[in-house]
Amino acid sequence: MKKLVFTLVASFAITAGFSQTVEELKAEQAPKKDSIAALQGKVDALQAQIDAMPGWKIGAFGTIGGSISSFSNWYAQGTPDNSSGNIGFTVNAFANLKEEKFFWRNSANVNFAWVKLDDKNDPTDSDNFEATTDVFQLTSLYGRNITKTLAASGLAEYRTTVLNNFNDPGYLDLGIGATWTPIQDLIVVIHPLNYNFVFSKGDDSVFESSLGAKIVADYTRKIGAISFKTNLSMFQSYKSSDLSNVTWTNSFGYTLWKGIGVGFDFGLRSNKQEALNYALNQDPATATSFDDVDNKLQTYWMAGLNYSF
């Protein structure tokens, strides 16, 4: 009985001592966490000063995703013998020059993806990777400062597909107007004088160039391990709303280790000219003109590994 009591007392004392040690360690840890937070605040403040300095700022980040698989005699599925895969990547690159009296901002947005499904029992199907996502956009904005947040500006923006039907269609916007920069990483472009050149080998009654207004809003920022970019590009034709278009793209990345992490991209687009061209090329055609075409919202998204440098 004495041994049992002694064992219980000893166990309680050890447990109490261990708990006390943990509490002491937590108490010692707390001020160090506060010190780290204070140091991180100073680092962030210094980085903000560096970002505000004149000169070139160059960088890029994006997302890489993919998978491959192969099945043999897997009878539970409709295609028991197949090999499949998908590969995709995005690139968001920028080269920005900031000086006291002017700025020059350049960016590129690329999103490519391929998908493969090879039925080994069907000799007529394709065993190649087929392009499924095809986005390519270049933007160059030059501005002369009028005030601290307002500038007279000129914009050139080119959008097309590369993997399929290069420059068919292709869109080139050239315009002048004003650019507003209310905060460090946000720019808002309003160009009431903009010409939207549309290049196409198809029906001229579908793809038509026109004069209109261009509005662009772009916010690109990196906060610690987080990188993100959102870009809204709109063209409003003065000739007809059928010739207008809007594209909104978004990219998010979280770095886990040495520039590698996880990322997510998604985009939305509305373009009635593209919708009508697609409808007219169906067999049978699903529309005859702008009046009866179903201009559905175009979307894409992609998740995978993220990189940045």
Side-chain angles (χ1 to χ4, degrees), residues 39-252:
L39 287 172
Q40 186 61 52
K42 293 179 180 179
V43 170
D44 292 341
L46 289 171
Q47 185 61 52
Q49 294 180 38
I50 293 171
D51 293 339
M53 294 293 288
W56 282 99
K57 303 292 189 300
I58 299 173
F61 72 97
T63 302
I64 302 174
S67 67
I68 56 174
S69 64
S70 179
F71 291 86
S72 295
N73 303 320
W74 199 263
Y75 299 118
Q77 61 188 15
T79 309
D81 303 292
N82 75 79
S83 61
S84 63
N86 65 82
I87 303 170
F89 68 90
T90 66
V91 179
N92 296 282
F94 64 89
N96 299 331
L97 174 63
K98 181 179 180 180
E99 298 292 348
E100 182 180 354
K101 295 183 178 180
F102 70 92
F103 60 82
W104 185 23
R105 302 175 64 94
N106 304 277
S107 65
N109 173 252
V110 178
N111 187 342
F112 295 153
W114 298 262
V115 171
K116 168 188 174 181
L117 176 58
D118 177 24
D119 183 353
K120 299 176 183 178
N121 298 322
D122 184 358
T124 64
D125 75 341
S126 174
D127 60 356
N128 298 322
F129 279 90
E130 305 293 340
T132 55
T133 303
D134 193 355
V135 178
F136 182 82
Q137 177 174 321
L138 296 174
T139 303
S140 184
L141 175 69
Y142 177 83
R144 299 287 298 187
N145 295 326
I146 300 172
T147 68
K148 186 178 179 180
T149 60
L150 188 66
S153 57
L155 173 73
E157 180 185 271
Y158 178 67
R159 293 175 289 113
T160 187
T161 55
V162 174
L163 305 178
N164 291 314
N165 305 321
F166 176 70
N167 206 39
D168 184 24
Y171 305 89
L172 174 63
D173 282 290
L174 296 175
I176 57 174
T179 295
W180 180 45
T181 53
I183 57 177
Q184 175 67 30
D185 301 294
L186 172 65
I187 64 165
V188 180
V189 179
I190 302 175
H191 285 179
L193 188 60
N194 182 94
Y195 200 83
N196 178 238
F197 295 91
V198 182
F199 309 102
S200 173
K201 300 174 184 176
D203 191 346
D204 291 339
S205 65
V206 176
F207 292 107
E208 184 178 351
S209 304
S210 64
L211 182 69
K214 185 73 174 181
I215 299 175
V216 176
D218 185 278
Y219 188 63
T220 305
R221 192 174 181 187
K222 183 174 183 179
I223 305 175
I226 300 173
S227 300
F228 58 92
K229 176 184 178 69
T230 180
N231 180 276
L232 177 68
S233 178
M234 303 172 59
F235 172 72
Q236 179 61 52
S237 174
Y238 293 147
K239 184 175 183 178
S240 171
S241 60
D242 294 334
L243 306 180
S244 302
N245 61 74
V246 56
T247 302
W248 183 35
T249 58
N250 301 269
S251 298
F252 303 90

Side-chain angles (χ1 to χ4, degrees), residues 250-271:
N250 301 269
S251 298
F252 303 90
Y254 184 78
T255 301
L256 298 173
W257 179 75
K258 292 186 177 181
I260 303 298
V262 293
F264 178 72
D265 292 74
F266 75 91
L268 308 173
R269 179 158 66 190
S270 176
N271 189 314

